[in-house]
Amino acid sequence: LLEVLYVSSDSSKEQMDQTMTSHHGPWKSIPFDNVEERSNLKKHFGACAGKEMMEVGLGGPGQRKFGIPTIILIDCQTEAVLTTDGVDDLMRGSGSSDILSGWEKLLSS
């Protein structure tokens, strides 16, 4: 089972809605108005847009590990981070079935 959770770095709810409609589809997302939850996740994983580094609290040297887009795979049962290289996997992949099978192997290791 694969679930995607979109954590927006958009500038407005309208922009987030447009991004979801034109690029992502009906993924689960943290509501735009829930700034605290979005910021906490960004800070926890060190992933955010450059424009929000200070606001999120990732302005110090080495605090921001990832820009956008970032895809972090997490085992939903153990909450272990399986990989932070999801975007690279997609860029290198030869097809969606190869990428998904690679991610499935991470779950079983």
Side-chain angles (χ1 to χ4, degrees), residues 12-109:
S12 67
K13 182 180 181 334
E14 293 75 24
Q15 185 181 28
M16 179 180 161
D17 291 344
Q18 178 63 33
T19 300
M20 296 286 291
T21 301
S22 61
H23 299 293
H24 300 311
W27 293 350
K28 289 183 178 183
S29 64
I30 296 175
F32 184 82
D33 294 335
N34 196 337
V35 176
E36 184 176 357
E37 185 175 3
R38 290 187 299 118
S39 293
N40 287 343
L41 279 170
K42 291 172 185 183
K43 190 170 186 174
H44 178 77
F45 291 107
C48 70
K51 67 181 181 182
E52 60 186 351
M53 288 171 53
M54 298 305 274
E55 177 184 326
V56 172
L58 296 174
Q63 290 182 313
R64 179 176 173 239
K65 299 172 187 149
F66 311 103
I68 58 171
T70 296
I71 297 176
I72 300 171
L73 297 174
I74 301 167
D75 183 321
C76 292
Q77 292 180 349
T78 66
E79 298 182 2
V81 174
L82 302 174
T83 184
T84 56
D85 295 327
V87 171
D88 290 340
D89 292 344
L90 291 172
M91 300 304 281
R92 285 191 308 260
S94 58
S96 60
S97 62
D98 290 342
I99 296 164
L100 290 175
S101 65
W103 290 347
E104 288 173 347
K105 287 177 186 171
L106 293 173
L107 276 171
S108 59
S109 59

